[in-house]
Amino acid sequence: DRWRKEIARFCAQTTFEDLTIHEDSESEMEAHVRFTATLTQGDQDATFTEDSRFLMLDGQWRYLSAIVN
């Protein structure tokens, strides 16, 4: 329940402005996506770039981990 409240608070305080995909790669069982999410929280820039890793499980891509730059 705490997790849900934290996510709801984040969403209420954050404006999602843009998403830029810089690169992606995919094999049969694993994929990587490097992107920049442009966000603001109040009057502060909260933009971040992430390298995400996904695995194919039961026929669906599942988020596994990230490196945030």
Side-chain angles (χ1 to χ4, degrees):
D1 191 42
R2 185 175 140 250
W3 180 82
R4 287 180 191 256
K5 288 179 184 176
E6 194 66 24
I7 294 292
R9 184 181 61 77
F10 173 81
C11 290
Q13 295 175 351
T14 304
T15 301
F16 296 83
E17 297 178 12
D18 192 28
L19 179 67
T20 302
I21 306 296
H22 301 289
E23 60 184 274
D24 62 277
S25 62
E26 180 181 327
S27 65
E28 188 175 327
M29 299 301 295
E30 186 171 335
H32 295 263
V33 178
R34 186 171 158 275
F35 68 89
T36 298
T38 304
L39 318 170
T40 54
Q41 293 178 320
D43 61 353
Q44 293 195 337
D45 181 20
T47 298
F48 67 92
T49 299
E50 178 176 307
D51 293 303
S52 297
R53 182 175 173 216
F54 297 84
L55 292 180
M56 178 64 75
L57 298 171
D58 300 322
Q60 296 183 341
W61 288 111
R62 305 290 179 142
Y63 177 82
L64 181 65
S65 62
I67 300 170
V68 178
N69 300 316

